[in-house]
PDB file of all heavy atoms in Angstrom:
ATOM      1  N   LEU A 141      -4.109  -3.978   4.365  1.00 95.00           N
ATOM      2  CA  LEU A 141      -3.708  -3.329   5.584  1.00 95.00           C
ATOM      3  C   LEU A 141      -2.170  -2.728   5.417  1.00 95.00           C
ATOM      4  O   LEU A 141      -1.963  -1.689   5.896  1.00 95.00           O
ATOM      5  CB  LEU A 141      -3.640  -4.346   6.708  1.00 95.00           C
ATOM      6  CG  LEU A 141      -5.085  -4.856   7.112  1.00 95.00           C
ATOM      7  CD1 LEU A 141      -4.840  -5.993   8.177  1.00 95.00           C
ATOM      8  CD2 LEU A 141      -5.980  -3.800   7.626  1.00 95.00           C
ATOM      9  N   HIS A 142      -1.426  -3.474   4.642  1.00 95.00           N
ATOM     10  CA  HIS A 142      -0.065  -3.067   4.288  1.00 95.00           C
ATOM     11  C   HIS A 142      -0.218  -1.680   3.572  1.00 95.00           C
ATOM     12  O   HIS A 142       0.633  -0.710   3.751  1.00 95.00           O
ATOM     13  CB  HIS A 142       0.755  -4.037   3.591  1.00 95.00           C
ATOM     14  CG  HIS A 142       2.277  -3.826   3.585  1.00 95.00           C
ATOM     15  ND1 HIS A 142       3.150  -4.726   3.193  1.00 95.00           N
ATOM     16  CD2 HIS A 142       3.014  -2.800   4.251  1.00 95.00           C
ATOM     17  CE1 HIS A 142       4.346  -4.254   3.388  1.00 95.00           C
ATOM     18  NE2 HIS A 142       4.253  -3.120   4.017  1.00 95.00           N
ATOM     19  N   GLU A 143      -1.009  -1.631   2.632  1.00 93.00           N
ATOM     20  CA  GLU A 143      -1.254  -0.441   1.754  1.00 93.00           C
ATOM     21  C   GLU A 143      -1.650   0.703   2.626  1.00 93.00           C
ATOM     22  O   GLU A 143      -1.164   1.819   2.574  1.00 93.00           O
ATOM     23  CB  GLU A 143      -2.383  -0.753   0.849  1.00 93.00           C
ATOM     24  CG  GLU A 143      -2.522   0.210  -0.384  1.00 93.00           C
ATOM     25  CD  GLU A 143      -3.619  -0.376  -1.338  1.00 93.00           C
ATOM     26  OE1 GLU A 143      -3.199  -1.131  -2.232  1.00 93.00           O
ATOM     27  OE2 GLU A 143      -4.826  -0.061  -1.178  1.00 93.00           O
ATOM     28  N   THR A 144      -2.615   0.489   3.580  1.00 95.00           N
ATOM     29  CA  THR A 144      -3.109   1.503   4.488  1.00 95.00           C
ATOM     30  C   THR A 144      -1.955   2.004   5.401  1.00 95.00           C
ATOM     31  O   THR A 144      -1.839   3.140   5.658  1.00 95.00           O
ATOM     32  CB  THR A 144      -4.185   0.876   5.399  1.00 95.00           C
ATOM     33  OG1 THR A 144      -5.250   0.485   4.564  1.00 95.00           O
ATOM     34  CG2 THR A 144      -4.750   1.991   6.326  1.00 95.00           C
ATOM     35  N   ALA A 145      -1.052   1.157   5.804  1.00 96.00           N
ATOM     36  CA  ALA A 145       0.105   1.474   6.652  1.00 96.00           C
ATOM     37  C   ALA A 145       1.065   2.498   5.835  1.00 96.00           C
ATOM     38  O   ALA A 145       1.517   3.471   6.406  1.00 96.00           O
ATOM     39  CB  ALA A 145       0.886   0.338   7.060  1.00 96.00           C
ATOM     40  N   TYR A 146       1.248   2.174   4.583  1.00 96.00           N
ATOM     41  CA  TYR A 146       2.103   3.102   3.752  1.00 96.00           C
ATOM     42  C   TYR A 146       1.541   4.432   3.627  1.00 96.00           C
ATOM     43  O   TYR A 146       2.231   5.429   3.577  1.00 96.00           O
ATOM     44  CB  TYR A 146       2.281   2.540   2.281  1.00 96.00           C
ATOM     45  CG  TYR A 146       3.326   1.427   2.100  1.00 96.00           C
ATOM     46  CD1 TYR A 146       2.941   0.130   1.679  1.00 96.00           C
ATOM     47  CD2 TYR A 146       4.656   1.724   2.435  1.00 96.00           C
ATOM     48  CE1 TYR A 146       3.907  -0.808   1.470  1.00 96.00           C
ATOM     49  CE2 TYR A 146       5.591   0.659   2.328  1.00 96.00           C
ATOM     50  CZ  TYR A 146       5.289  -0.607   1.779  1.00 96.00           C
ATOM     51  OH  TYR A 146       6.195  -1.465   1.726  1.00 96.00           O
ATOM     52  N   LEU A 147       0.174   4.606   3.573  1.00 95.00           N
ATOM     53  CA  LEU A 147      -0.513   5.818   3.414  1.00 95.00           C
ATOM     54  C   LEU A 147      -0.611   6.517   4.701  1.00 95.00           C
ATOM     55  O   LEU A 147      -1.048   7.778   4.682  1.00 95.00           O
ATOM     56  CB  LEU A 147      -1.937   5.616   2.848  1.00 95.00           C
ATOM     57  CG  LEU A 147      -1.970   5.023   1.367  1.00 95.00           C
ATOM     58  CD1 LEU A 147      -3.345   4.398   1.071  1.00 95.00           C
ATOM     59  CD2 LEU A 147      -1.557   6.025   0.336  1.00 95.00           C
ATOM     60  N   ASN A 148      -0.288   5.912   5.845  1.00 95.00           N
ATOM     61  CA  ASN A 148      -0.456   6.572   7.183  1.00 95.00           C
ATOM     62  C   ASN A 148       0.870   6.227   7.953  1.00 95.00           C
ATOM     63  O   ASN A 148       0.864   5.336   8.833  1.00 95.00           O
ATOM     64  CB  ASN A 148      -1.699   6.019   7.945  1.00 95.00           C
ATOM     65  CG  ASN A 148      -2.974   6.399   7.096  1.00 95.00           C
ATOM     66  OD1 ASN A 148      -3.453   7.472   7.246  1.00 95.00           O
ATOM     67  ND2 ASN A 148      -3.467   5.474   6.314  1.00 95.00           N
ATOM     68  N   PRO A 149       1.953   6.888   7.688  1.00 96.00           N
ATOM     69  CA  PRO A 149       3.233   6.525   8.215  1.00 96.00           C
ATOM     70  C   PRO A 149       3.306   6.514   9.867  1.00 96.00           C
ATOM     71  O   PRO A 149       4.271   5.990  10.344  1.00 96.00           O
ATOM     72  CB  PRO A 149       4.259   7.478   7.623  1.00 96.00           C
ATOM     73  CG  PRO A 149       3.363   8.575   7.092  1.00 96.00           C
ATOM     74  CD  PRO A 149       2.041   7.992   6.779  1.00 96.00           C
ATOM     75  N   ALA A 150       2.380   7.282  10.485  1.00 96.00           N
ATOM     76  CA  ALA A 150       2.389   7.305  11.930  1.00 96.00           C
ATOM     77  C   ALA A 150       1.478   6.171  12.542  1.00 96.00           C
ATOM     78  O   ALA A 150       1.355   6.153  13.810  1.00 96.00           O
ATOM     79  CB  ALA A 150       1.934   8.656  12.358  1.00 96.00           C
ATOM     80  N   LEU A 151       0.876   5.320  11.680  1.00 97.00           N
ATOM     81  CA  LEU A 151      -0.135   4.269  12.244  1.00 97.00           C
ATOM     82  C   LEU A 151       0.630   2.971  12.195  1.00 97.00           C
ATOM     83  O   LEU A 151       1.290   2.592  11.238  1.00 97.00           O
ATOM     84  CB  LEU A 151      -1.301   4.287  11.258  1.00 97.00           C
ATOM     85  CG  LEU A 151      -2.378   3.332  11.538  1.00 97.00           C
ATOM     86  CD1 LEU A 151      -3.061   3.664  12.846  1.00 97.00           C
ATOM     87  CD2 LEU A 151      -3.440   3.329  10.468  1.00 97.00           C
ATOM     88  N   THR A 152       0.272   2.209  13.216  1.00 98.00           N
ATOM     89  CA  THR A 152       0.711   0.782  13.329  1.00 98.00           C
ATOM     90  C   THR A 152      -0.457  -0.143  13.257  1.00 98.00           C
ATOM     91  O   THR A 152      -1.493   0.108  13.916  1.00 98.00           O
ATOM     92  CB  THR A 152       1.486   0.476  14.690  1.00 98.00           C
ATOM     93  OG1 THR A 152       2.611   1.394  14.765  1.00 98.00           O
ATOM     94  CG2 THR A 152       1.862  -0.967  14.802  1.00 98.00           C
ATOM     95  N   ILE A 153      -0.463  -1.091  12.268  1.00 98.00           N
ATOM     96  CA  ILE A 153      -1.472  -2.003  12.096  1.00 98.00           C
ATOM     97  C   ILE A 153      -1.005  -3.490  12.461  1.00 98.00           C
ATOM     98  O   ILE A 153       0.013  -3.923  11.806  1.00 98.00           O
ATOM     99  CB  ILE A 153      -2.092  -1.942  10.654  1.00 98.00           C
ATOM    100  CG1 ILE A 153      -2.571  -0.544  10.356  1.00 98.00           C
ATOM    101  CG2 ILE A 153      -3.270  -2.925  10.584  1.00 98.00           C
ATOM    102  CD1 ILE A 153      -3.097  -0.365   8.962  1.00 98.00           C
ATOM    103  N   ILE A 154      -1.730  -4.159  13.333  1.00 98.00           N
ATOM    104  CA  ILE A 154      -1.340  -5.487  13.697  1.00 98.00           C
ATOM    105  C   ILE A 154      -2.313  -6.485  13.122  1.00 98.00           C
ATOM    106  O   ILE A 154      -3.578  -6.315  13.290  1.00 98.00           O
ATOM    107  CB  ILE A 154      -1.244  -5.666  15.209  1.00 98.00           C
ATOM    108  CG1 ILE A 154      -0.063  -4.783  15.720  1.00 98.00           C
ATOM    109  CG2 ILE A 154      -0.956  -7.138  15.713  1.00 98.00           C
ATOM    110  CD1 ILE A 154      -0.092  -4.489  17.272  1.00 98.00           C
ATOM    111  N   PHE A 155      -1.825  -7.536  12.423  1.00 98.00           N
ATOM    112  CA  PHE A 155      -2.699  -8.536  11.800  1.00 98.00           C
ATOM    113  C   PHE A 155      -2.424  -9.914  12.422  1.00 98.00           C
ATOM    114  O   PHE A 155      -1.235 -10.210  12.608  1.00 98.00           O
ATOM    115  CB  PHE A 155      -2.529  -8.497  10.243  1.00 98.00           C
ATOM    116  CG  PHE A 155      -3.183  -9.739   9.654  1.00 98.00           C
ATOM    117  CD1 PHE A 155      -4.578  -9.565   9.256  1.00 98.00           C
ATOM    118  CD2 PHE A 155      -2.563 -10.880   9.406  1.00 98.00           C
ATOM    119  CE1 PHE A 155      -5.217 -10.623   8.659  1.00 98.00           C
ATOM    120  CE2 PHE A 155      -3.209 -11.995   8.696  1.00 98.00           C
ATOM    121  CZ  PHE A 155      -4.571 -11.867   8.402  1.00 98.00           C
ATOM    122  N   GLU A 156      -3.454 -10.615  12.745  1.00 97.00           N
ATOM    123  CA  GLU A 156      -3.226 -12.076  13.082  1.00 97.00           C
ATOM    124  C   GLU A 156      -4.296 -12.918  12.436  1.00 97.00           C
ATOM    125  O   GLU A 156      -5.449 -12.568  12.498  1.00 97.00           O
ATOM    126  CB  GLU A 156      -3.441 -12.198  14.657  1.00 97.00           C
ATOM    127  CG  GLU A 156      -2.217 -11.677  15.330  1.00 97.00           C
ATOM    128  CD  GLU A 156      -2.194 -12.023  16.912  1.00 97.00           C
ATOM    129  OE1 GLU A 156      -3.175 -12.758  17.350  1.00 97.00           O
ATOM    130  OE2 GLU A 156      -1.338 -11.498  17.531  1.00 97.00           O
ATOM    131  N   ASP A 157      -3.851 -14.094  11.788  1.00 97.00           N
ATOM    132  CA  ASP A 157      -4.821 -15.024  11.286  1.00 97.00           C
ATOM    133  C   ASP A 157      -4.669 -16.213  12.246  1.00 97.00           C
ATOM    134  O   ASP A 157      -3.671 -16.943  12.339  1.00 97.00           O
ATOM    135  CB  ASP A 157      -4.371 -15.441   9.928  1.00 97.00           C
ATOM    136  CG  ASP A 157      -5.361 -16.414   9.312  1.00 97.00           C
ATOM    137  OD1 ASP A 157      -6.301 -16.862  10.010  1.00 97.00           O
ATOM    138  OD2 ASP A 157      -5.194 -16.741   8.102  1.00 97.00           O
ATOM    139  N   ARG A 158      -5.775 -16.348  13.134  1.00 97.00           N
ATOM    140  CA  ARG A 158      -5.768 -17.340  14.086  1.00 97.00           C
ATOM    141  C   ARG A 158      -6.465 -18.627  13.701  1.00 97.00           C
ATOM    142  O   ARG A 158      -6.737 -19.506  14.563  1.00 97.00           O
ATOM    143  CB  ARG A 158      -6.517 -16.713  15.372  1.00 97.00           C
ATOM    144  CG  ARG A 158      -5.746 -15.477  15.928  1.00 97.00           C
ATOM    145  CD  ARG A 158      -6.645 -14.715  16.897  1.00 97.00           C
ATOM    146  NE  ARG A 158      -5.831 -13.753  17.589  1.00 97.00           N
ATOM    147  CZ  ARG A 158      -6.409 -13.010  18.537  1.00 97.00           C
ATOM    148  NH1 ARG A 158      -7.689 -13.014  18.888  1.00 97.00           N
ATOM    149  NH2 ARG A 158      -5.601 -12.085  19.208  1.00 97.00           N
ATOM    150  N   ARG A 159      -6.780 -18.724  12.430  1.00 95.00           N
ATOM    151  CA  ARG A 159      -7.520 -19.886  12.013  1.00 95.00           C
ATOM    152  C   ARG A 159      -6.752 -21.210  11.798  1.00 95.00           C
ATOM    153  O   ARG A 159      -7.281 -22.252  11.783  1.00 95.00           O
ATOM    154  CB  ARG A 159      -8.334 -19.588  10.711  1.00 95.00           C
ATOM    155  CG  ARG A 159      -9.204 -18.435  10.828  1.00 95.00           C
ATOM    156  CD  ARG A 159      -9.756 -17.871   9.478  1.00 95.00           C
ATOM    157  NE  ARG A 159      -8.728 -17.376   8.598  1.00 95.00           N
ATOM    158  CZ  ARG A 159      -8.931 -16.880   7.405  1.00 95.00           C
ATOM    159  NH1 ARG A 159     -10.106 -16.873   6.872  1.00 95.00           N
ATOM    160  NH2 ARG A 159      -7.955 -16.479   6.738  1.00 95.00           N
ATOM    161  N   GLN A 160      -5.474 -21.081  11.569  1.00 90.00           N
ATOM    162  CA  GLN A 160      -4.607 -22.225  11.293  1.00 90.00           C
ATOM    163  C   GLN A 160      -3.868 -22.661  12.610  1.00 90.00           C
ATOM    164  O   GLN A 160      -3.817 -21.956  13.528  1.00 90.00           O
ATOM    165  CB  GLN A 160      -3.560 -21.972  10.250  1.00 90.00           C
ATOM    166  CG  GLN A 160      -4.126 -21.265   8.972  1.00 90.00           C
ATOM    167  CD  GLN A 160      -5.174 -22.175   8.279  1.00 90.00           C
ATOM    168  OE1 GLN A 160      -4.993 -23.388   8.360  1.00 90.00           O
ATOM    169  NE2 GLN A 160      -6.075 -21.557   7.680  1.00 90.00           N
ATOM    170  N   ALA A 161      -3.288 -23.825  12.593  1.00 90.00           N
ATOM    171  CA  ALA A 161      -2.579 -24.320  13.768  1.00 90.00           C
ATOM    172  C   ALA A 161      -1.415 -23.433  14.093  1.00 90.00           C
ATOM    173  O   ALA A 161      -1.160 -23.215  15.309  1.00 90.00           O
ATOM    174  CB  ALA A 161      -2.100 -25.722  13.459  1.00 90.00           C
ATOM    175  N   GLU A 162      -0.715 -22.880  13.094  1.00 92.00           N
ATOM    176  CA  GLU A 162       0.379 -21.969  13.246  1.00 92.00           C
ATOM    177  C   GLU A 162      -0.140 -20.573  13.157  1.00 92.00           C
ATOM    178  O   GLU A 162      -0.642 -20.193  11.979  1.00 92.00           O
ATOM    179  CB  GLU A 162       1.490 -22.264  12.293  1.00 92.00           C
ATOM    180  CG  GLU A 162       2.818 -21.520  12.601  1.00 92.00           C
ATOM    181  CD  GLU A 162       3.940 -21.912  11.742  1.00 92.00           C
ATOM    182  OE1 GLU A 162       3.942 -23.108  11.202  1.00 92.00           O
ATOM    183  OE2 GLU A 162       4.828 -21.132  11.513  1.00 92.00           O
ATOM    184  N   LEU A 163       0.066 -19.717  14.131  1.00 94.00           N
ATOM    185  CA  LEU A 163      -0.489 -18.348  14.052  1.00 94.00           C
ATOM    186  C   LEU A 163       0.263 -17.532  13.033  1.00 94.00           C
ATOM    187  O   LEU A 163       1.541 -17.505  12.954  1.00 94.00           O
ATOM    188  CB  LEU A 163      -0.284 -17.688  15.494  1.00 94.00           C
ATOM    189  CG  LEU A 163      -0.715 -16.228  15.603  1.00 94.00           C
ATOM    190  CD1 LEU A 163      -2.236 -16.093  15.594  1.00 94.00           C
ATOM    191  CD2 LEU A 163      -0.164 -15.626  16.887  1.00 94.00           C
ATOM    192  N   ASP A 164      -0.428 -16.852  12.182  1.00 95.00           N
ATOM    193  CA  ASP A 164       0.167 -15.820  11.271  1.00 95.00           C
ATOM    194  C   ASP A 164       0.067 -14.448  11.901  1.00 95.00           C
ATOM    195  O   ASP A 164      -1.005 -13.812  11.941  1.00 95.00           O
ATOM    196  CB  ASP A 164      -0.525 -15.924   9.871  1.00 95.00           C
ATOM    197  CG  ASP A 164      -0.043 -14.921   8.869  1.00 95.00           C
ATOM    198  OD1 ASP A 164       0.999 -14.274   9.189  1.00 95.00           O
ATOM    199  OD2 ASP A 164      -0.630 -14.843   7.769  1.00 95.00           O
ATOM    200  N   HIS A 165       1.241 -13.846  12.286  1.00 97.00           N
ATOM    201  CA  HIS A 165       1.171 -12.586  12.937  1.00 97.00           C
ATOM    202  C   HIS A 165       2.146 -11.649  12.128  1.00 97.00           C
ATOM    203  O   HIS A 165       3.291 -11.974  11.887  1.00 97.00           O
ATOM    204  CB  HIS A 165       1.703 -12.755  14.411  1.00 97.00           C
ATOM    205  CG  HIS A 165       1.880 -11.384  15.053  1.00 97.00           C
ATOM    206  ND1 HIS A 165       0.958 -10.919  15.992  1.00 97.00           N
ATOM    207  CD2 HIS A 165       2.897 -10.502  14.957  1.00 97.00           C
ATOM    208  CE1 HIS A 165       1.372  -9.708  16.467  1.00 97.00           C
ATOM    209  NE2 HIS A 165       2.596  -9.477  15.870  1.00 97.00           N
ATOM    210  N   GLU A 166       1.548 -10.507  11.802  1.00 97.00           N
ATOM    211  CA  GLU A 166       2.357  -9.521  11.083  1.00 97.00           C
ATOM    212  C   GLU A 166       2.056  -8.093  11.567  1.00 97.00           C
ATOM    213  O   GLU A 166       0.915  -7.848  11.934  1.00 97.00           O
ATOM    214  CB  GLU A 166       2.143  -9.513   9.560  1.00 97.00           C
ATOM    215  CG  GLU A 166       2.678 -10.747   8.905  1.00 97.00           C
ATOM    216  CD  GLU A 166       2.873 -10.642   7.395  1.00 97.00           C
ATOM    217  OE1 GLU A 166       3.383  -9.527   7.003  1.00 97.00           O
ATOM    218  OE2 GLU A 166       2.492 -11.538   6.700  1.00 97.00           O
ATOM    219  N   GLU A 167       3.143  -7.330  11.557  1.00 97.00           N
ATOM    220  CA  GLU A 167       2.853  -5.867  12.057  1.00 97.00           C
ATOM    221  C   GLU A 167       3.327  -4.934  10.974  1.00 97.00           C
ATOM    222  O   GLU A 167       4.376  -5.106  10.345  1.00 97.00           O
ATOM    223  CB  GLU A 167       3.768  -5.649  13.235  1.00 97.00           C
ATOM    224  CG  GLU A 167       3.370  -4.521  14.056  1.00 97.00           C
ATOM    225  CD  GLU A 167       3.950  -4.548  15.518  1.00 97.00           C
ATOM    226  OE1 GLU A 167       3.855  -5.608  16.217  1.00 97.00           O
ATOM    227  OE2 GLU A 167       4.625  -3.626  15.882  1.00 97.00           O
ATOM    228  N   PHE A 168       2.493  -3.987  10.636  1.00 97.00           N
ATOM    229  CA  PHE A 168       2.692  -3.013   9.539  1.00 97.00           C
ATOM    230  C   PHE A 168       2.898  -1.759  10.101  1.00 97.00           C
ATOM    231  O   PHE A 168       2.006  -1.091  10.626  1.00 97.00           O
ATOM    232  CB  PHE A 168       1.621  -3.105   8.490  1.00 97.00           C
ATOM    233  CG  PHE A 168       1.306  -4.429   7.957  1.00 97.00           C
ATOM    234  CD1 PHE A 168       0.133  -5.104   8.301  1.00 97.00           C
ATOM    235  CD2 PHE A 168       2.145  -5.059   7.095  1.00 97.00           C
ATOM    236  CE1 PHE A 168      -0.142  -6.346   7.703  1.00 97.00           C
ATOM    237  CE2 PHE A 168       1.993  -6.325   6.566  1.00 97.00           C
ATOM    238  CZ  PHE A 168       0.746  -6.963   6.859  1.00 97.00           C
ATOM    239  N   HIS A 169       4.090  -1.152   9.954  1.00 97.00           N
ATOM    240  CA  HIS A 169       4.462   0.271  10.328  1.00 97.00           C
ATOM    241  C   HIS A 169       5.411   0.794   9.209  1.00 97.00           C
ATOM    242  O   HIS A 169       6.524   0.276   9.211  1.00 97.00           O
ATOM    243  CB  HIS A 169       4.924   0.336  11.708  1.00 97.00           C
ATOM    244  CG  HIS A 169       5.179   1.779  12.083  1.00 97.00           C
ATOM    245  ND1 HIS A 169       4.256   2.589  12.579  1.00 97.00           N
ATOM    246  CD2 HIS A 169       6.342   2.579  12.046  1.00 97.00           C
ATOM    247  CE1 HIS A 169       4.862   3.858  12.774  1.00 97.00           C
ATOM    248  NE2 HIS A 169       6.072   3.809  12.486  1.00 97.00           N
ATOM    249  N   GLU A 170       4.985   1.717   8.368  1.00 97.00           N
ATOM    250  CA  GLU A 170       5.844   2.195   7.306  1.00 97.00           C
ATOM    251  C   GLU A 170       6.125   3.670   7.508  1.00 97.00           C
ATOM    252  O   GLU A 170       5.407   4.500   6.967  1.00 97.00           O
ATOM    253  CB  GLU A 170       5.057   1.911   5.929  1.00 97.00           C
ATOM    254  CG  GLU A 170       4.898   0.359   5.577  1.00 97.00           C
ATOM    255  CD  GLU A 170       6.090  -0.456   5.425  1.00 97.00           C
ATOM    256  OE1 GLU A 170       7.189   0.167   5.297  1.00 97.00           O
ATOM    257  OE2 GLU A 170       6.007  -1.633   5.526  1.00 97.00           O
ATOM    258  N   SER A 171       7.240   3.911   8.214  1.00 96.00           N
ATOM    259  CA  SER A 171       7.512   5.261   8.483  1.00 96.00           C
ATOM    260  C   SER A 171       7.916   6.116   7.257  1.00 96.00           C
ATOM    261  O   SER A 171       7.890   7.389   7.354  1.00 96.00           O
ATOM    262  CB  SER A 171       8.669   5.404   9.635  1.00 96.00           C
ATOM    263  OG  SER A 171       9.752   4.627   9.132  1.00 96.00           O
ATOM    264  N   ASP A 172       8.327   5.390   6.164  1.00 96.00           N
ATOM    265  CA  ASP A 172       8.688   6.103   4.968  1.00 96.00           C
ATOM    266  C   ASP A 172       7.411   6.577   4.075  1.00 96.00           C
ATOM    267  O   ASP A 172       7.611   7.220   3.125  1.00 96.00           O
ATOM    268  CB  ASP A 172       9.648   5.259   4.059  1.00 96.00           C
ATOM    269  CG  ASP A 172      11.053   5.220   4.760  1.00 96.00           C
ATOM    270  OD1 ASP A 172      11.374   6.115   5.522  1.00 96.00           O
ATOM    271  OD2 ASP A 172      11.797   4.394   4.245  1.00 96.00           O
ATOM    272  N   GLY A 173       6.242   6.099   4.574  1.00 96.00           N
ATOM    273  CA  GLY A 173       5.042   6.426   3.849  1.00 96.00           C
ATOM    274  C   GLY A 173       5.075   5.982   2.328  1.00 96.00           C
ATOM    275  O   GLY A 173       5.492   4.951   2.059  1.00 96.00           O
ATOM    276  N   ILE A 174       4.540   6.893   1.528  1.00 96.00           N
ATOM    277  CA  ILE A 174       4.325   6.438   0.100  1.00 96.00           C
ATOM    278  C   ILE A 174       5.695   6.424  -0.574  1.00 96.00           C
ATOM    279  O   ILE A 174       5.728   5.722  -1.734  1.00 96.00           O
ATOM    280  CB  ILE A 174       3.382   7.367  -0.648  1.00 96.00           C
ATOM    281  CG1 ILE A 174       3.856   8.770  -0.755  1.00 96.00           C
ATOM    282  CG2 ILE A 174       1.994   7.306  -0.039  1.00 96.00           C
ATOM    283  CD1 ILE A 174       3.073   9.664  -1.764  1.00 96.00           C
ATOM    284  N   LEU A 175       6.783   6.943  -0.092  1.00 96.00           N
ATOM    285  CA  LEU A 175       8.108   6.774  -0.618  1.00 96.00           C
ATOM    286  C   LEU A 175       8.397   5.206  -0.529  1.00 96.00           C
ATOM    287  O   LEU A 175       8.872   4.621  -1.475  1.00 96.00           O
ATOM    288  CB  LEU A 175       9.091   7.447   0.154  1.00 96.00           C
ATOM    289  CG  LEU A 175       9.574   8.822  -0.453  1.00 96.00           C
ATOM    290  CD1 LEU A 175      10.495   9.522   0.576  1.00 96.00           C
ATOM    291  CD2 LEU A 175      10.355   8.569  -1.777  1.00 96.00           C
ATOM    292  N   GLY A 176       8.144   4.650   0.648  1.00 96.00           N
ATOM    293  CA  GLY A 176       8.383   3.139   0.818  1.00 96.00           C
ATOM    294  C   GLY A 176       7.428   2.426  -0.023  1.00 96.00           C
ATOM    295  O   GLY A 176       7.742   1.283  -0.448  1.00 96.00           O
ATOM    296  N   PHE A 177       6.171   2.917  -0.228  1.00 96.00           N
ATOM    297  CA  PHE A 177       5.171   2.191  -1.062  1.00 96.00           C
ATOM    298  C   PHE A 177       5.664   1.989  -2.546  1.00 96.00           C
ATOM    299  O   PHE A 177       5.654   0.871  -3.007  1.00 96.00           O
ATOM    300  CB  PHE A 177       3.932   2.962  -1.037  1.00 96.00           C
ATOM    301  CG  PHE A 177       2.614   2.270  -1.574  1.00 96.00           C
ATOM    302  CD1 PHE A 177       1.444   2.989  -1.408  1.00 96.00           C
ATOM    303  CD2 PHE A 177       2.732   0.949  -2.107  1.00 96.00           C
ATOM    304  CE1 PHE A 177       0.236   2.284  -1.958  1.00 96.00           C
ATOM    305  CE2 PHE A 177       1.575   0.364  -2.522  1.00 96.00           C
ATOM    306  CZ  PHE A 177       0.318   1.011  -2.483  1.00 96.00           C
ATOM    307  N   VAL A 178       6.179   3.116  -3.132  1.00 96.00           N
ATOM    308  CA  VAL A 178       6.720   3.093  -4.419  1.00 96.00           C
ATOM    309  C   VAL A 178       7.954   2.088  -4.551  1.00 96.00           C
ATOM    310  O   VAL A 178       8.058   1.297  -5.478  1.00 96.00           O
ATOM    311  CB  VAL A 178       7.070   4.447  -4.967  1.00 96.00           C
ATOM    312  CG1 VAL A 178       7.917   4.435  -6.287  1.00 96.00           C
ATOM    313  CG2 VAL A 178       5.797   5.200  -5.213  1.00 96.00           C
TER     314      VAL A 178
END
């Protein structure tokens, strides 16, 4: 998902792993695109 965010700088991807007691929440938005990827 993070890779996909780098390739699409205008896209926001929100991830949540709800399987554990403590929620794993991450938001991916990479406005620098593949520059940021490298």
Side-chain angles (χ1 to χ4, degrees):
L141 296 178
H142 199 173
E143 193 174 272
T144 302
Y146 278 122
L147 295 164
N148 299 278
L151 180 64
T152 299
I153 304 178
I154 295 163
F155 170 85
E156 285 186 5
D157 186 352
R158 299 169 168 178
R159 297 172 298 180
Q160 310 300 328
E162 190 174 333
L163 179 71
D164 178 9
H165 175 98
E166 290 202 43
E167 202 163 306
F168 303 111
H169 180 83
E170 298 293 347
S171 54
D172 287 341
I174 64 170
L175 261 174
F177 194 174
V178 167

